[in-house]
Amino acid sequence: MYKVPSGISNKHLHVSERDLKILFGENHELTCKKMLKQPGQFACEETVDLAGPKGTLKRVRVLGPVRPETQVELSLTDARALGITAPVRESGKLEGTPGLTLIGPEGTVELDHGVIIALRHVHLSDEEAAEAGVSDKQMIRVKVEGERGLVFDNVLVRAGKAHSAEFHLDTDEGNAAGLDNGVMCELLP
């Protein structure tokens, strides 16, 4: 039996260098608010507003470091509040996704794509994956115990040097299981 801690992901975005400059100013650099469990990843002080056809979500956290392409990650509830039909996708798989408007303190970016509901996934280092008996890109199940315990199907394994053991799911999924961050969850083949 191999267990990893849960990491519940609230709505957030990753920005490209180009969009960072538009939203926050030409020479702006992201400011670390808190390091995240994944190596080199951090929550930023910076936030933006997200505007869709039906509404706006205020003060959505930017995560760093900058990425080659801007990506917005929402829960299904968030997407519906904005009036967007976002697909469930692996991070970085943005082709054919909807866009929205990003509103920063210095400017606005009209995304024509880049909004997803992140596919639930488990991060593991190469050593952790070997110990758990799973491999990168494998689809597994994850069992959550407790009063609202359940088994999540279709969990993507993301294994490699840039990963550390953590089960990532969004707020809708975490709430369905009554989960808090750091609760140990069992990996099932």
Side-chain angles (χ1 to χ4, degrees), residues 33-93:
K33 176 182 177 79
K34 177 178 102 171
M35 293 306 294
L36 301 176
K37 186 161 173 69
Q38 296 312 303
Q41 304 288 311
F42 56 94
C44 301
E45 294 286 350
E46 291 80 4
T47 63
V48 300
D49 295 344
L50 307 179
K54 281 179 59 180
T56 301
L57 297 174
K58 300 281 194 184
R59 299 183 48 78
V60 176
R61 182 87 40 214
V62 175
L63 299 186
V66 295
R67 291 207 178 168
E69 188 170 12
T70 295
Q71 172 177 299
V72 178
E73 297 182 32
L74 303 172
S75 69
L76 183 57
T77 299
D78 297 325
R80 287 181 174 159
L82 290 168
I84 295 172
T85 304
V88 175
R89 291 278 177 87
E90 179 182 353
S91 181
K93 308 287 186 192

Side-chain angles (χ1 to χ4, degrees), residues 114-142:
V115 181
I116 65 169
I117 297 168
L119 176 65
R120 55 186 167 248
H121 55 279
V122 61
H123 290 276
L124 297 165
S125 69
D126 289 323
E127 296 79 17
E128 291 162 339
E131 188 177 335
V134 298
S135 58
D136 189 45
K137 302 298 184 195
Q138 181 179 346
M139 296 299 281
I140 63 169
R141 298 175 303 140
V142 174

